[in-house]
């Protein structure tokens, strides 16, 4: 009677030791560097690097969200980013926190080049190196690389940077959704 | 008799083709001004190679593609390049794009042409070069550069070359009339393409509602191995994927092209353009356009120069402005409404419908979907139009994509049969556009992230460098001080330099030593002497 209990205890103990060892080995051997959740969140953020969320860039904000921060602090991403984040994290989408700004149409920075004095302040402010120029020479924005983050506007001592709304051209144009018209009975009334 | 298969779905809309087949193809002549868009094809726009004010000859290349995919643009007649401006072009957005405008001088003077009747003596790549230089892109709709289409990947053997003469969309008769009147040129073009591709079979697919065209093509291909396949009339049998299925029984894989299953499909008009380019040395400067609809008195087909304004053609066909309610470019199923008649004919323009109000009435208001399932029965791609509609409307694009939204050919069969008159295709086009836009944004975001990270690491590196330099400087300063100290000590030890202080210390030491010696001399040791006296 006592021997069988002892055997059972010993067997379970042995199993626990073996599996504990295995798990411990796996935890060391297959350790994941960095935080994979932060990577996933970072992939959903718009990468404007504008800092409107009060973090110094998209990656730090992604890490903050991974630690349990609010998901509604990104105005450039807007509604769709909040939706995607909520989907990823399995939480309810919240409306955009107006404290951090409002969702705007896509814009790019444009330097009024004849007014530029070549101070390089905007170059130092640009988070994605999208401004080209040298000290005492005219600067210009590489439009294709500009994320429209606004960060270069404030440092400019002569206020020669404008944020210009990007208008769709023939290459970027897409079909608009069908506009809901009148319902059939209304239409009869309208034509009568 | 060629064996035929069927594709699922399809519809039978009223054809209205007899409007424009009663008159032979007319020459439209030279309008006052030609507008030549730099992008008339899929790919990159061409770049101008002549300047404003320059005189150009008929057939002279005026815009070329230097890098990337695209085709050249040629002057359709001799004249002067008037301007290079943004001008409305045939596009569903109704937006303007860069165009060259040419003022014809009326002389219609040709540049020198190099006909190659004996093209078989040339290399295949040389013939493809002729086709590329002639500015030929597919003339059926999408405008894919023909020279690229005729050069399939090396690992793809082309077994079947299909010439698409189905022309299934109502109203359009441009290919029908081309086959009737230029059957020999169609066959000549087909022969050139067959020589390039070396397929096992050449098939010309024609819908059975075009008996005259069938007879003409039969006559032209007599004695050759080219097959004429008469296919039942059903919309959209002229869709590339549908025609391939009808003639071969094989389906083009999702997201693939016919070349993936060893088939290449070319348009009738393209075949004529290839024949003219190779055999006559004539670049693509004109095409057959159907001008039809109840608002024109003399509907029919016109051989129009590329760049001819639609307005000019409508006048030739006797447009009745008071009856005209809507201008549609393309067919009634897949075409789009034009906002202005100033747009020019381009390489892909096959039809303009000047519709009276009763003919193409404004769409009825959209009503709720009643889940009747007629759209699914009509869909030639075997998709689920209803589900796609729900997801597109709810902007759940990933789910729509999962249901193969991108396989939709936008033929409009589902919208046509919908009893609730839901503009289904418009929803799909919207969803496709949004998905493409999101992808482009994602690509841009990835690039921004890369640049941001590169900048961060650069700043980090610079900071480290600065720190390292600061430490080096500090270390150098400390070393210098230590060296100085060591030198001073060494000098002191050698006595080479004795300052006042060390001399004083030496004097004190000497004085102390003297005092000690004196004290020892005056006081003899008391213990030693008694010992010695005893």
């Amino acid at each position: 009677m006592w021997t069988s209990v002892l055997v059972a205890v010993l067997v379970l103990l042995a199993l626990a030791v073996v599996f504990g060892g295995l798990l411990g080995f796996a935890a060391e051997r297959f350790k994941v560097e960095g935080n994979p959740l932060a990577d996933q969140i970072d992939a959903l953020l718009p990468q404007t690097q504008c800092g409107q969320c009060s973090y110094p860039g998209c990656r730090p904000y992604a890490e903050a969200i991974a630690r349990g921060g609010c998901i509604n602090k990104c105005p450039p991403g807007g509604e769709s980013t909040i939706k995607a984040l909520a989907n990823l994290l399995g939480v309810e989408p919240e409306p955009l926190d107006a404290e951090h700004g409002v969702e705007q149409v896509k814009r790019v920075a444009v330097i009024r080049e004849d007014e530029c004095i070549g101070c390089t302040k905007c170059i130092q402010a640009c988070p994605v190196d999208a401004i080209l120029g040298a000290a005492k020479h005219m600067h210009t924005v590489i439009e294709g690389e500009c994320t429209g983050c606004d960060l270069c506007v404030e440092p400019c001592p002569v206020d020669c940077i404008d944020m210009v709304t990007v208008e769709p051209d023939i290459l970027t144009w897409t079909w608009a959704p069908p506009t809901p018209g009148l319902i059939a009975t209304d239409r009869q009334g309208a034509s009568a | 008799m060629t064996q035929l298969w069927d594709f699922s779905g399809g519809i039978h809309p009223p054809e209205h083709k007899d409007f424009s087949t009663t008159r032979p193809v007319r020459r439209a002549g030279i309008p006052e001004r030609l507008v030549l868009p730099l992008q008339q094809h899929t790919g990159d726009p061409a770049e101008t190679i002549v300047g404003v004010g320059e005189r150009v000859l008929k057939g002279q290349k005026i815009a070329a593609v230097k890098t990337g995919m695209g085709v050249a643009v040629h002057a359709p007649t001799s004249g002067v390049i008037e301007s290079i401006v943004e001008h409305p072009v045939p596009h569903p957005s109704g937006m303007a794009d860069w165009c060259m405008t040419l003022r014809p001088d009326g002389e219609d003077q040709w540049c020198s042409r190099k006909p190659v009747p004996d093209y078989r003596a040339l290399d295949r790549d040389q013939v493809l070069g002729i086709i590329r230089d002639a500015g030929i892109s597919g003339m059926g709709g999408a405008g894919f550069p023909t020279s690229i289409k005729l050069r399939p990947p090396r690992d793809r053997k082309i077994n079947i070359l299909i010439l698409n003469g189905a022309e299934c969309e109502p109203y359009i008769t441009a290919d029908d009339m081309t086959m009737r009147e230029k059957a020999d040129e169609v066959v000549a073009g087909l022969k050139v393409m067959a020589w390039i591709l070396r397929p096992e079979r050449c098939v010309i697919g024609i819908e059975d509602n075009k008996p005259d065209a069938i007879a003409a093509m039969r006559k032209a291909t007599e004695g050759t191995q080219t097959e004429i396949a008469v296919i039942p009339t059903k919309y959209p049998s002229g869709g590339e994927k549908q025609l391939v299925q009808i003639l071969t029984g094989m389906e083009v894989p999702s997201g693939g092209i016919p070349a993936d299953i060893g088939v290449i499909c070319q348009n009738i008009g393209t075949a004529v353009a290839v024949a003219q380019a190779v055999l006559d040395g004539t670049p693509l400067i004109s095409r057959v356009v159907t001008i039809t609809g109840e608002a024109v008195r003399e509907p029919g087909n016109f051989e129009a120069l590329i760049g001819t304004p639609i307005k000019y053609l409508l006048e030739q066909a006797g447009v009745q402005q008071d009856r005209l309610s809507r201008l549609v470019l393309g067919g009634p199923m897949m075409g789009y409404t034009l906002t202005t008649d100033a747009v020019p004919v381009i390489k892909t323009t096959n039809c303009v419908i000047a519709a009276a109000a009763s003919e193409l009435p404004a769409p009825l208001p959209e009503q709720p979907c009643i889940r009747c399932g007629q759209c699914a029965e009509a869909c030639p791609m075997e998709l689920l139009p209803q589900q796609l509609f729900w997801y597109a409307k709810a902007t759940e694009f990933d789910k729509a994509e999962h249901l193969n939204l991108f396989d939709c050919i936008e033929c409009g069969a589902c919208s046509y049969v919908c009893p609730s008159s839901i503009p289904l295709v418009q929803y799909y086009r919207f969803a496709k556009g949004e998905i493409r836009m999101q992808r482009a944004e994602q690509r841009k975001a990835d690039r921004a992230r890369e640049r941001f990270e590169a900048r961060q690491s650069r700043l980090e590196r610079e900071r480290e460098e600065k720190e390292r330099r600061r430490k080096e400087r500090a270390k150098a300063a400390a070393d210098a001080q230590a060296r100085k100290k060591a030198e001073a000590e060494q000098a002191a030890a050698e006595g080479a330099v004795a300052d006042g202080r060390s001399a004083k210390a030496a004097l004190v030491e000497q004085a102390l030593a003297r005092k000690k010696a004196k004290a020892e001399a005056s006081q003899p040791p008391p213990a030693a002497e008694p010992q010695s006296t005893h």
Side-chain angles (χ1 to χ4, degrees):
Chain A
M1 168 67 193
W2 281 109
T3 42
S4 58
V5 169
L6 203 66
V7 165
V9 167
L10 283 176
V11 164
L12 284 176
L13 208 66
L15 278 175
V17 167
V18 168
F19 285 117
L22 264 178
L23 283 174
F25 171 73
E28 276 304 309
R29 178 75 179 73
F30 304 110
K31 195 171 171 181
V32 179
E33 292 294 329
N35 189 345
L37 183 61
D39 282 340
Q40 277 173 297
I41 295 170
D42 193 33
L44 294 177
L45 294 176
Q47 304 300 324
T48 38
Q49 318 293 357
C50 61
Q52 288 182 67
C53 52
S54 75
Y55 295 94
C58 293
R59 178 80 214 182
Y61 181 40
E63 276 157 14
I65 295 177
R67 285 194 302 270
C70 292
I71 59 169
N72 60 349
K73 292 184 184 174
C74 180
E79 210 66 43
S80 58
T81 298
I82 294 174
K83 226 162 102 180
L85 286 172
N87 209 0
L88 174 72
L89 302 169
V91 296
E92 278 299 308
E94 306 159 49
L96 184 66
D97 189 347
E99 199 180 298
H100 296 276
V102 286
E103 198 171 348
Q104 282 178 326
V105 285
K106 212 177 139 15
R107 300 185 305 168
V108 289
V110 174
I111 294 177
R112 290 198 300 278
E113 291 170 350
D114 43 358
E115 289 172 36
C116 174
I117 54 168
C119 69
T120 74
K121 286 208 163 72
C122 55
I123 296 181
Q124 289 158 34
C126 180
V128 290
D129 283 338
I131 302 179
L132 204 66
K136 292 183 186 163
H137 290 274
M138 183 199 82
H139 305 339
T140 194
V141 178
I142 308 170
E143 202 192 309
E145 307 291 358
C146 177
T147 61
C149 68
D150 259 10
L151 293 180
C152 54
V153 176
E154 216 268 333
C156 180
V158 291
D159 277 338
C160 73
I161 305 180
D162 296 319
M163 295 306 293
V164 177
T165 307
V166 183
E167 299 288 345
D169 63 2
I170 202 160
L171 293 175
T172 56
W173 175 89
T174 55
W175 288 87
T179 42
L182 299 169
I183 59 167
T185 46
D186 281 351
R187 193 179 150 90
Q188 279 159 11
S191 61
Chain B
M1 188 70 194
T2 313
Q3 190 190 351
L4 297 180
W5 284 263
D6 193 13
F7 65 91
S8 68
I11 52 171
H12 295 93
E15 286 168 17
H16 299 295
K17 288 194 189 251
D18 46 350
F19 285 179
S20 51
T21 51
T22 50
R23 293 176 184 82
V25 177
R26 285 167 278 175
R27 288 198 165 272
I30 304 172
E32 205 175 293
R33 198 145 149 265
L34 292 166
V35 180
L36 300 153
L38 293 173
Q39 174 137 36
Q40 306 182 23
H41 52 262
T42 308
D44 305 305
E47 284 173 45
T48 54
I49 52 172
V50 293
V52 173
E54 217 168 300
R55 181 165 190 270
V56 293
L57 296 177
K58 183 175 186 175
Q60 184 183 333
K61 197 187 274 187
I62 55 173
V65 171
K66 283 167 188 147
T67 51
M69 189 177 88
V71 292
V73 179
H74 299 78
T77 182
S78 61
V80 176
I81 301 294
E82 207 177 41
S83 59
I84 301 171
V85 288
E86 283 195 307
H87 188 279
V89 292
H91 192 270
S93 67
M95 285 181 183
D97 198 6
W98 289 101
C99 302
M100 299 174 90
T101 59
L102 176 81
R103 182 171 287 278
D105 56 13
E107 287 171 28
D108 212 22
Q109 188 187 350
W110 270 102
C111 65
S112 69
R113 283 181 284 176
K114 279 197 219 94
V116 191
D118 188 20
Y119 59 88
R120 284 186 166 85
L122 294 180
D123 202 46
R124 283 182 168 77
D125 280 340
Q126 281 174 299
V127 178
L128 283 170
I130 295 173
I131 293 172
R132 192 188 58 234
D133 284 340
I136 302 176
S137 58
M139 290 163 78
F144 193 82
T146 301
S147 64
I148 297 174
K149 200 169 173 179
L150 287 175
R151 198 200 299 266
R154 286 201 180 279
D155 55 332
R156 297 256 184 278
K157 168 84 182 84
I158 298 304
N159 298 317
I160 308 178
L161 172 61
I162 294 174
L163 218 49
N164 187 347
E167 201 164 56
C168 57
E169 201 162 342
Y171 285 96
I172 311 175
T173 56
D175 288 350
D176 185 2
M177 295 308 289
T178 306
M179 285 189 282
R180 289 192 206 183
E181 298 190 7
K182 294 183 185 170
D184 291 331
E185 273 184 279
V186 173
V187 175
L190 177 64
K191 276 184 183 160
V192 175
M193 293 193 278
W195 176 76
I196 292 169
L197 293 167
R198 283 172 282 192
E200 285 157 21
R201 285 172 65 198
C202 286
V203 190
I204 306 177
I206 310 174
E207 271 192 349
D208 58 11
N209 59 359
K210 304 177 188 57
D212 293 349
I214 294 166
M217 291 311 295
R218 281 233 165 93
K219 193 156 162 277
T221 55
E222 227 164 41
T224 67
Q225 287 186 328
T226 305
E227 302 163 39
I228 305 290
V230 179
I231 60 174
T233 300
K234 178 165 92 168
Y235 180 83
S237 62
E240 189 177 56
K241 289 166 182 164
Q242 281 64 40
L243 189 65
V244 168
Q245 201 177 347
I246 293 171
L247 296 179
T248 68
M250 291 187 286
E251 271 187 52
V252 179
S254 174
I257 52 169
D260 294 339
I261 52 169
V263 181
I264 276 187
C265 213
Q266 292 285 1
N267 177 262
I268 294 286
T270 314
V272 174
V274 166
Q276 289 176 346
V278 176
L279 305 176
D280 305 338
T282 312
L284 178 52
I285 53 169
S286 70
R287 67 156 297 144
V288 178
V289 187
T290 308
I291 306 291
T292 182
E294 285 175 11
V296 288
R297 270 192 301 272
E298 293 175 9
N301 283 277
F302 290 89
E303 175 90 39
L305 296 178
I306 304 292
T308 305
I310 301 288
K311 186 178 192 310
Y312 177 83
L313 291 178
L314 288 173
E315 279 163 9
Q316 300 246 315
V319 67
Q320 297 161 288
Q321 289 291 352
D322 51 330
R323 291 197 68 197
L324 178 65
S325 85
R326 193 144 77 107
L327 264 185
V328 173
L329 194 81
M333 303 298 294
M334 294 184 71
Y336 49 87
T337 305
L338 283 179
T339 48
T340 163
D341 57 9
V343 301
V345 166
I346 61 169
K347 291 171 185 176
T348 53
T349 309
N350 53 4
C351 180
V352 179
I353 306 173
S358 58
E359 202 178 2
L360 292 176
L364 290 170
E366 176 184 335
Q367 288 181 330
C369 172
I370 55 169
R371 293 254 186 208
C372 64
Q374 284 187 46
C375 49
E377 277 167 33
C379 180
M381 295 303 291
E382 296 180 61
L383 301 174
L384 297 168
Q386 237 177 54
Q387 300 306 108
L388 291 174
F389 160 64
W390 292 123
Y391 292 137
K393 196 171 183 180
T395 65
E396 291 184 70
F397 300 127
D398 48 336
K399 287 182 185 160
E401 213 182 332
H402 190 68
L403 288 175
N404 302 312
L405 172 68
F406 279 91
D407 280 348
C408 169
I409 57 168
E410 300 174 21
C411 67
C414 50
S415 312
Y416 181 80
V417 298
C418 181
S420 294
S421 41
I422 301 170
L424 292 161
V425 175
Q426 210 182 325
Y427 279 104
Y428 308 151
R429 282 172 170 166
F430 158 67
K432 283 181 178 177
E434 287 294 305
I435 293 171
R436 287 202 189 100
M437 215 152 75
Q438 281 175 8
R439 280 188 192 155
E441 262 167 32
Q442 188 59 48
R443 271 198 300 277
K444 205 173 167 207
D446 289 343
R447 206 171 149 69
R449 180 187 304 116
E450 227 170 78
R451 288 179 75 90
F452 176 69
E453 279 165 7
R455 180 186 152 91
Q456 292 299 99
S457 70
R458 193 192 72 221
L459 292 180
E460 182 67 23
R461 207 170 53 236
E462 274 170 8
R463 209 170 22 248
E464 269 168 22
E465 203 121 292
K466 233 179 182 172
E467 185 68 27
R468 195 168 52 79
R469 273 207 301 274
R470 197 184 64 77
K471 273 186 186 151
E472 264 171 22
R473 267 204 308 277
K475 193 163 168 280
D479 283 353
Q481 198 145 20
R483 212 164 42 241
K484 222 169 160 184
K485 201 174 167 193
E487 270 169 15
E489 266 170 18
Q490 202 179 357
E494 280 169 5
V497 186
D499 56 349
R501 206 171 158 171
S502 62
K504 230 178 232 171
L507 282 176
V508 170
E509 247 169 62
Q510 279 168 14
L512 281 175
R514 269 202 310 276
K515 202 179 171 197
K516 206 176 170 189
K518 216 172 165 181
E520 273 173 10
S522 62
Q523 264 186 4
E529 274 187 4
Q531 247 177 13
S532 62
T533 50
H534 287 290

